[in-house]
Amino acid sequence: MLAHVHSAAAFVLAAASGGTTSGKEESSNFLVSPDVGLMVWTLLSFVVALLVLRKYAFPAISEALDKRQRMIEESIDAAAASKAESEALLAEYRERLKEARAQADEIVASARKAGDEVQRSAAESGQAKRDELVEQAKKDIEGETRRAIQEIRSEVADLTVAATEKVTRRTLTAEDQKRLVEDALSELDFSSLGERSN
Amino acid sequence: MIKRLPLLLLPLVALLANPAGALALNINEDYKPQNEFKLDTWIDLPGPFDLNKAVFYVFVATLLTTLAMVLVARRMTQRPNRIQTAVEAAYTLMRDNIAGGNMDRRMAAKWFPFIATLFLFIWFSNMLGYLPLPTNTEHKVDIAGLQIPSLALYAATANLSVPLVLTLVVWFAYHIEGFRAKGVIGFYKGLVPAGVEGPAAGPIFAIELISDFVRVVSLSVRLFANILAGHLLILFMGGGLVVLLNLAVAGSVVLGLVTGTMAVAFFLFEIGLVATLQAFIFSTLTAIYLGGAVADEH
């Protein structure tokens, strides 16, 4: 840069000195002598450019840049907000999932418990039923046995009456017969029969 | 390329065979390279306000600056294309670095349009200067009977008047801001750096006062001289030197090949770096001067 200036200065000096020696001053001095007309035109042009740019160019460019900056800021904010929102949502869903899982576990546990309960109570009630049935059967058997013995007794009595009638050829009164049989039977032991049938 | 090499080396061989003949200097007295920067009146107007090449360049640069920026500004979209991206990058550079980086918030908001216009105006002027335009009215080309000025490189900023008037605006602007912020006496007291006291303050104040005035020269000449030097380098490398030295054919060809290559390099350097850098420096220094004028510590 300095070399630039130096070379220019050297040329300007050379041109200036050359101009004076050759007697044609106006041919080279124009390089360094300010021209009032050009200065005025430049000033006017610059002022026009300044006014036009200040009114029609800079505000629009500035506005567009600001707008873009705002948009970028907004989109960054929006992205941060949606990220936070999605994180919150995610946390909520996780929480819910955890709850759901706990609930499911609870449900399974209670179902299992209920099942066990049902199974246990079913087993218990079955046992009771069976016991009851067995008991009933026992009772029935006992009753039947007693009835059968009773029947046998009366059958035996009747047979005995018939047999005695044949033997004695006479008929006792019914009351006599009955008394006699009863006496005879009471001497017989039927308990062994009952035990056997049992 | 290999086949053409002997052909390219032929002038060099001729030059070496007869150095005295090939390098015989016969300076072309008729060729005046500085005339590329001479302002011939195009349209005569009363007073000093004649329209010429420089005025034309100033007008075109103004038109380009305003049109380009307004058109881009009116089509700002949320999904920018390349041009909008470039303009946005320039805008952010001007707002945050040039203005915002060197002034407080209030001053930056107030002076941003001024500094941004300075940057853009100088940048467009500089860039326009590397576009060959038919502006050389000294040498005209006959095209179908029409006398068309030949294509030439020129830049408004390569004329001292343009940077000088911009510098004067800057100089008055920061003085007015300084006077309003601190008062006239306060402003000039502020020229002496903090901590300088006693007998040293006098000479320091004198130096600072001179430096304050020298800013008019330094700010304007920095831009002017850089752009002028770039154009002169391109001019001389791109054929001016060959014409001026007026060597024999062999010497001219060798010189032309060497300087022509350098011309391309200088052109790329100027358009790629210097044009933007000088606009940046000018507007940054403006921001620094304005910021410094109202700052508590100078």
Side-chain angles (χ1 to χ4, degrees):
Chain A
M1 196 56 55
L2 208 61
H4 244 156
V5 180
H6 280 167
S7 61
F11 174 78
V12 169
L13 286 176
S17 63
T20 44
T21 47
S22 63
K24 292 186 232 165
E25 279 181 49
E26 58 165 11
S27 70
S28 49
N29 270 353
F30 62 83
L31 277 173
V32 285
S33 54
D35 176 344
V36 176
L38 178 56
M39 285 172 78
V40 172
W41 284 124
T42 304
L43 187 61
L44 277 177
S45 302
F46 178 76
V47 169
V48 167
L50 174 59
L51 293 178
V52 171
L53 291 183
R54 199 177 64 176
K55 191 162 166 56
Y56 297 106
F58 295 149
I61 297 171
S62 172
E63 195 191 302
L65 286 176
D66 289 350
K67 202 169 147 195
R68 180 163 325 124
Q69 194 178 341
R70 270 202 307 278
M71 211 172 74
I72 290 168
E73 277 168 7
E74 275 167 14
S75 43
I76 288 171
D77 288 349
S82 59
K83 191 178 172 224
E85 196 183 339
S86 60
E87 272 171 1
L89 269 179
L90 188 65
E92 197 187 318
Y93 279 127
R94 278 206 183 117
E95 192 63 32
R96 274 194 197 168
L97 198 63
K98 218 157 91 184
E99 275 173 22
R101 202 167 279 157
Q103 272 180 9
D105 287 350
E106 203 175 296
I107 287 166
V108 168
S110 74
R112 189 168 290 153
K113 206 170 137 193
D116 288 352
E117 185 72 25
V118 167
Q119 205 178 4
R120 199 170 51 76
S121 73
E124 270 175 12
S125 70
Q127 185 68 38
K129 193 91 180 165
R130 206 166 57 230
D131 289 354
E132 197 181 311
L133 283 173
V134 167
E135 196 64 29
Q136 187 67 43
K138 255 184 200 166
K139 272 181 186 162
D140 286 355
I141 289 165
E142 267 174 25
E144 285 298 311
T145 309
R146 235 191 320 272
R147 206 169 51 82
I149 289 169
Q150 203 63 46
E151 268 179 21
I152 289 168
R153 235 182 220 179
S154 66
E155 198 77 19
V156 167
D158 289 348
L159 281 173
T160 311
V161 169
T164 314
E165 204 175 58
K166 272 185 181 164
V167 170
T168 62
R169 301 270 187 214
R170 71 169 188 114
T171 308
L172 297 174
T173 64
E175 275 169 30
D176 289 340
Q177 278 179 14
K178 201 107 178 153
R179 186 178 45 80
L180 284 171
V181 171
E182 287 290 337
D183 288 346
L185 282 177
S186 65
E187 286 165 18
L188 285 172
D189 186 15
F190 283 101
S191 61
S192 62
L193 195 67
E195 272 170 24
R196 232 181 4 238
S197 72
N198 214 357
Chain B
M1 193 67 207
I2 301 292
K3 282 181 184 172
R4 288 183 189 170
L5 204 60
L7 202 68
L8 287 169
L9 287 175
L10 199 65
L12 192 66
V13 172
L15 185 145
L16 292 172
N18 184 8
L23 290 176
L25 264 182
N26 181 20
I27 286 184
N28 188 345
E29 293 283 348
D30 296 332
Y31 178 56
K32 301 220 168 2
Q34 67 269 31
N35 283 358
E36 289 281 330
F37 301 91
K38 195 174 179 182
L39 301 176
D40 296 323
T41 299
W42 284 1
I43 298 172
D44 205 358
L45 289 178
F49 303 113
D50 294 350
L51 299 187
N52 52 37
K53 185 159 70 176
V55 178
F56 169 77
Y57 267 80
V58 167
F59 286 171
V60 174
T62 310
L63 205 67
L64 276 179
T65 310
T66 51
L67 270 184
M69 294 307 287
V70 171
L71 282 181
V72 171
R74 285 177 65 175
R75 293 176 189 183
M76 293 293 279
T77 59
Q78 288 305 312
R79 291 167 192 274
N81 57 12
R82 282 185 199 173
I83 292 175
Q84 190 185 327
T85 309
V87 169
E88 283 178 9
Y91 190 91
T92 336
L93 172 85
M94 295 186 294
R95 187 187 59 188
D96 300 342
N97 291 55
I98 300 176
N102 297 306
M103 292 184 285
D104 62 50
R105 190 178 289 273
R106 187 188 65 85
M107 283 287 283
K110 183 178 176 186
W111 287 96
F112 167 75
F114 175 71
I115 285 162
T117 309
L118 264 183
F119 177 82
L120 293 168
F121 182 73
I122 293 169
W123 188 80
F124 274 100
S125 293
N126 289 351
M127 292 307 270
L128 186 64
Y130 301 109
L131 207 63
L133 295 177
T135 52
N136 190 339
T137 42
E138 195 183 352
H139 306 284
K140 294 192 173 172
V141 184
D142 192 332
I143 299 175
L146 284 173
Q147 291 290 309
I148 308 288
S150 57
L151 291 175
L153 292 185
Y154 182 73
T157 35
N159 188 302
L160 180 61
S161 309
V162 175
L164 183 62
V165 71
L166 297 178
T167 301
L168 285 173
V169 172
V170 170
W171 195 83
F172 280 111
Y174 82 77
H175 278 86
I176 290 166
E177 274 292 338
F179 292 164
R180 280 170 66 177
K182 304 178 191 168
V184 178
I185 296 168
F187 174 79
Y188 283 108
K189 267 188 180 172
L191 288 181
V192 181
V196 178
E197 283 165 5
I204 294 279
F205 175 73
I207 290 168
E208 291 290 342
L209 191 64
I210 291 166
S211 117
D212 186 48
F213 282 99
V214 166
R215 280 175 176 182
V216 176
V217 179
S218 68
L219 190 61
S220 58
V221 169
R222 182 184 299 107
L223 174 59
F224 152 68
N226 268 285
I227 303 304
L228 179 68
H231 278 77
L232 286 172
L233 279 170
I234 294 169
L235 174 66
F236 280 120
M237 295 299 128
L241 205 60
V242 175
V243 175
L244 187 72
L245 294 182
N246 200 17
L247 299 174
V249 176
S252 286
V253 169
V254 171
L255 187 65
L257 285 173
V258 172
T259 56
T261 312
M262 289 175 77
V264 175
F266 278 126
F267 189 88
L268 293 175
F269 176 67
E270 292 293 322
I271 205 163
L273 184 69
V274 176
T276 306
L277 191 63
Q278 287 307 318
F280 178 79
I281 290 173
F282 196 100
S283 45
T284 301
L285 283 173
T286 301
I288 290 171
Y289 293 163
L290 279 164
V294 299
D296 295 333
E297 293 289 316
H298 223 43

Short mmCIF file of all heavy atoms in Angstrom, two decimals, chain B residues 5 10 15 19 24 35 38 40 56 58 64 72 74 96 100 122 148 164 173 176-177 228 241 257 282 290 295:
data_model
loop_
_atom_site.label_atom_id
_atom_site.label_comp_id
_atom_site.label_asym_id
_atom_site.label_seq_id
_atom_site.Cartn_x
_atom_site.Cartn_y
_atom_site.Cartn_z
N LEU B 5 6.64 -22.25 -27.63
CA LEU B 5 7.70 -21.66 -26.81
C LEU B 5 8.81 -21.02 -27.66
O LEU B 5 9.20 -19.88 -27.37
CB LEU B 5 8.25 -22.73 -25.85
CG LEU B 5 8.92 -22.17 -24.60
CD1 LEU B 5 7.94 -21.34 -23.77
CD2 LEU B 5 9.50 -23.28 -23.74
N LEU B 10 11.65 -16.15 -29.50
CA LEU B 10 12.32 -15.52 -30.65
C LEU B 10 12.70 -14.06 -30.38
O LEU B 10 13.85 -13.67 -30.59
CB LEU B 10 11.40 -15.64 -31.88
CG LEU B 10 12.10 -15.45 -33.22
CD1 LEU B 10 13.11 -16.57 -33.46
CD2 LEU B 10 11.07 -15.40 -34.34
N LEU B 15 16.78 -10.01 -29.01
CA LEU B 15 17.23 -8.98 -28.07
C LEU B 15 18.64 -9.26 -27.59
O LEU B 15 19.48 -8.37 -27.52
CB LEU B 15 16.26 -8.95 -26.89
CG LEU B 15 16.45 -7.88 -25.81
CD1 LEU B 15 15.09 -7.44 -25.31
CD2 LEU B 15 17.29 -8.34 -24.65
N PRO B 19 21.74 -6.50 -28.29
CA PRO B 19 21.14 -5.74 -27.19
C PRO B 19 21.10 -4.24 -27.47
O PRO B 19 20.10 -3.59 -27.17
CB PRO B 19 22.03 -6.05 -25.99
CG PRO B 19 23.09 -6.98 -26.46
CD PRO B 19 22.98 -7.17 -27.92
N ALA B 24 17.61 0.14 -27.80
CA ALA B 24 17.84 1.54 -28.13
C ALA B 24 16.65 2.39 -27.71
O ALA B 24 15.54 2.18 -28.17
CB ALA B 24 18.05 1.67 -29.64
N ASN B 35 -2.32 12.33 -19.73
CA ASN B 35 -3.52 12.84 -20.42
C ASN B 35 -4.71 11.90 -20.29
O ASN B 35 -5.83 12.29 -20.55
CB ASN B 35 -3.22 13.10 -21.90
CG ASN B 35 -2.44 14.39 -22.07
OD1 ASN B 35 -2.16 15.08 -21.07
ND2 ASN B 35 -2.10 14.72 -23.29
N LYS B 38 -6.64 13.61 -17.87
CA LYS B 38 -6.96 15.01 -18.14
C LYS B 38 -8.46 15.14 -18.40
O LYS B 38 -9.08 14.26 -18.97
CB LYS B 38 -6.19 15.48 -19.38
CG LYS B 38 -6.17 16.95 -19.53
CD LYS B 38 -5.26 17.35 -20.69
CE LYS B 38 -5.28 18.85 -20.85
NZ LYS B 38 -4.44 19.25 -22.00
N ASP B 40 -11.17 16.91 -20.28
CA ASP B 40 -11.60 17.78 -21.36
C ASP B 40 -13.06 18.10 -21.17
O ASP B 40 -13.85 17.23 -20.79
CB ASP B 40 -11.40 17.09 -22.72
CG ASP B 40 -9.92 16.83 -22.98
OD1 ASP B 40 -9.11 17.70 -22.61
OD2 ASP B 40 -9.60 15.76 -23.53
N PHE B 56 -18.98 12.85 -15.36
CA PHE B 56 -19.72 11.70 -15.89
C PHE B 56 -19.54 10.47 -14.99
O PHE B 56 -20.50 9.79 -14.63
CB PHE B 56 -19.22 11.42 -17.32
CG PHE B 56 -19.68 10.12 -17.90
CD1 PHE B 56 -20.98 9.99 -18.37
CD2 PHE B 56 -18.82 9.03 -17.98
CE1 PHE B 56 -21.41 8.78 -18.91
CE2 PHE B 56 -19.25 7.82 -18.52
CZ PHE B 56 -20.55 7.71 -18.98
N VAL B 58 -18.73 10.43 -11.84
CA VAL B 58 -19.40 10.67 -10.56
C VAL B 58 -20.89 10.38 -10.70
O VAL B 58 -21.50 9.70 -9.87
CB VAL B 58 -19.16 12.12 -10.08
CG1 VAL B 58 -20.11 12.47 -8.94
CG2 VAL B 58 -17.73 12.30 -9.64
N LEU B 64 -25.35 4.15 -10.16
CA LEU B 64 -25.15 2.73 -9.84
C LEU B 64 -25.41 2.47 -8.35
O LEU B 64 -26.10 1.52 -7.98
CB LEU B 64 -23.71 2.32 -10.18
CG LEU B 64 -23.43 1.92 -11.62
CD1 LEU B 64 -21.96 1.56 -11.76
CD2 LEU B 64 -24.28 0.71 -12.01
N VAL B 72 -32.17 -3.66 -4.83
CA VAL B 72 -32.02 -4.80 -3.91
C VAL B 72 -32.91 -4.62 -2.69
O VAL B 72 -33.57 -5.56 -2.23
CB VAL B 72 -30.53 -4.97 -3.50
CG1 VAL B 72 -30.39 -5.99 -2.40
CG2 VAL B 72 -29.71 -5.40 -4.70
N ARG B 74 -35.67 -3.09 -2.42
CA ARG B 74 -37.11 -3.28 -2.69
C ARG B 74 -37.47 -4.74 -2.91
O ARG B 74 -38.64 -5.09 -2.90
CB ARG B 74 -37.51 -2.46 -3.92
CG ARG B 74 -37.61 -0.98 -3.59
CD ARG B 74 -37.93 -0.18 -4.79
NE ARG B 74 -39.26 -0.47 -5.32
CZ ARG B 74 -39.80 0.20 -6.34
NH1 ARG B 74 -39.13 1.16 -6.92
NH2 ARG B 74 -41.00 -0.12 -6.76
N ASP B 96 -22.27 -2.88 11.67
CA ASP B 96 -21.70 -3.43 12.90
C ASP B 96 -20.21 -3.14 13.04
O ASP B 96 -19.73 -2.93 14.15
CB ASP B 96 -21.94 -4.94 12.96
CG ASP B 96 -23.43 -5.26 12.94
OD1 ASP B 96 -24.21 -4.35 13.23
OD2 ASP B 96 -23.79 -6.40 12.64
N GLY B 100 -20.76 0.79 13.85
CA GLY B 100 -20.97 0.31 15.23
C GLY B 100 -19.68 0.07 15.99
O GLY B 100 -19.66 0.22 17.21
N ILE B 122 -17.94 5.40 -2.68
CA ILE B 122 -16.52 5.23 -3.02
C ILE B 122 -16.29 3.87 -3.66
O ILE B 122 -15.56 3.74 -4.65
CB ILE B 122 -15.64 5.42 -1.75
CG1 ILE B 122 -15.74 6.87 -1.28
CG2 ILE B 122 -14.20 5.06 -2.04
CD1 ILE B 122 -15.14 7.10 0.09
N ILE B 148 -16.49 7.44 -32.19
CA ILE B 148 -16.72 6.94 -30.85
C ILE B 148 -15.44 7.12 -30.04
O ILE B 148 -14.37 6.74 -30.49
CB ILE B 148 -17.08 5.44 -30.87
CG1 ILE B 148 -18.23 5.17 -31.85
CG2 ILE B 148 -17.41 4.93 -29.47
CD1 ILE B 148 -19.58 5.65 -31.41
N LEU B 164 -11.39 14.77 -2.07
CA LEU B 164 -11.19 15.98 -1.27
C LEU B 164 -12.52 16.54 -0.78
O LEU B 164 -12.65 16.89 0.40
CB LEU B 164 -10.43 17.04 -2.09
CG LEU B 164 -10.11 18.32 -1.33
CD1 LEU B 164 -9.18 18.03 -0.15
CD2 LEU B 164 -9.47 19.36 -2.24
N ALA B 173 -18.14 17.67 9.37
CA ALA B 173 -19.13 16.90 10.13
C ALA B 173 -18.60 16.56 11.52
O ALA B 173 -19.28 16.76 12.52
CB ALA B 173 -19.49 15.62 9.37
N ILE B 176 -18.31 19.69 13.74
CA ILE B 176 -19.61 20.16 14.23
C ILE B 176 -20.10 19.25 15.36
O ILE B 176 -20.57 19.72 16.40
CB ILE B 176 -20.62 20.23 13.06
CG1 ILE B 176 -20.24 21.38 12.12
CG2 ILE B 176 -22.04 20.42 13.57
CD1 ILE B 176 -20.93 21.34 10.78
N GLU B 177 -19.95 17.92 15.16
CA GLU B 177 -20.37 16.97 16.20
C GLU B 177 -19.56 17.21 17.48
O GLU B 177 -20.11 17.20 18.58
CB GLU B 177 -20.16 15.52 15.74
CG GLU B 177 -21.32 14.95 14.96
CD GLU B 177 -22.59 14.75 15.80
OE1 GLU B 177 -22.48 14.67 17.03
OE2 GLU B 177 -23.67 14.68 15.21
N LEU B 228 -5.25 6.35 -8.16
CA LEU B 228 -4.47 6.87 -9.28
C LEU B 228 -3.28 5.96 -9.56
O LEU B 228 -3.01 5.62 -10.71
CB LEU B 228 -3.98 8.30 -8.96
CG LEU B 228 -3.13 8.94 -10.06
CD1 LEU B 228 -3.96 9.21 -11.29
CD2 LEU B 228 -2.49 10.24 -9.57
N LEU B 241 4.03 1.68 -21.12
CA LEU B 241 5.49 1.71 -21.03
C LEU B 241 6.12 1.38 -22.37
O LEU B 241 7.12 2.00 -22.77
CB LEU B 241 5.94 0.70 -19.96
CG LEU B 241 7.30 0.97 -19.31
CD1 LEU B 241 7.28 2.34 -18.63
CD2 LEU B 241 7.62 -0.11 -18.29
N LEU B 257 5.35 -8.42 -23.27
CA LEU B 257 4.94 -9.68 -22.66
C LEU B 257 5.08 -9.61 -21.14
O LEU B 257 4.18 -10.03 -20.40
CB LEU B 257 5.77 -10.84 -23.21
CG LEU B 257 5.43 -11.27 -24.63
CD1 LEU B 257 6.44 -12.30 -25.14
CD2 LEU B 257 4.02 -11.85 -24.69
N PHE B 282 -11.57 4.52 4.10
CA PHE B 282 -12.13 5.88 4.13
C PHE B 282 -13.30 5.95 5.09
O PHE B 282 -13.38 6.84 5.95
CB PHE B 282 -12.56 6.28 2.71
CG PHE B 282 -12.79 7.76 2.54
CD1 PHE B 282 -11.82 8.57 1.97
CD2 PHE B 282 -13.98 8.36 2.96
CE1 PHE B 282 -12.02 9.93 1.81
CE2 PHE B 282 -14.18 9.72 2.82
CZ PHE B 282 -13.20 10.50 2.24
N LEU B 290 -15.45 10.69 13.68
CA LEU B 290 -16.73 11.12 14.27
C LEU B 290 -16.86 10.60 15.70
O LEU B 290 -17.28 11.35 16.60
CB LEU B 290 -17.89 10.59 13.43
CG LEU B 290 -18.22 11.39 12.17
CD1 LEU B 290 -19.10 10.57 11.24
CD2 LEU B 290 -18.92 12.69 12.54
N ALA B 295 -16.14 11.49 21.87
CA ALA B 295 -15.73 10.62 22.97
C ALA B 295 -15.11 11.46 24.09
O ALA B 295 -14.56 12.53 23.84
CB ALA B 295 -14.74 9.58 22.49
#
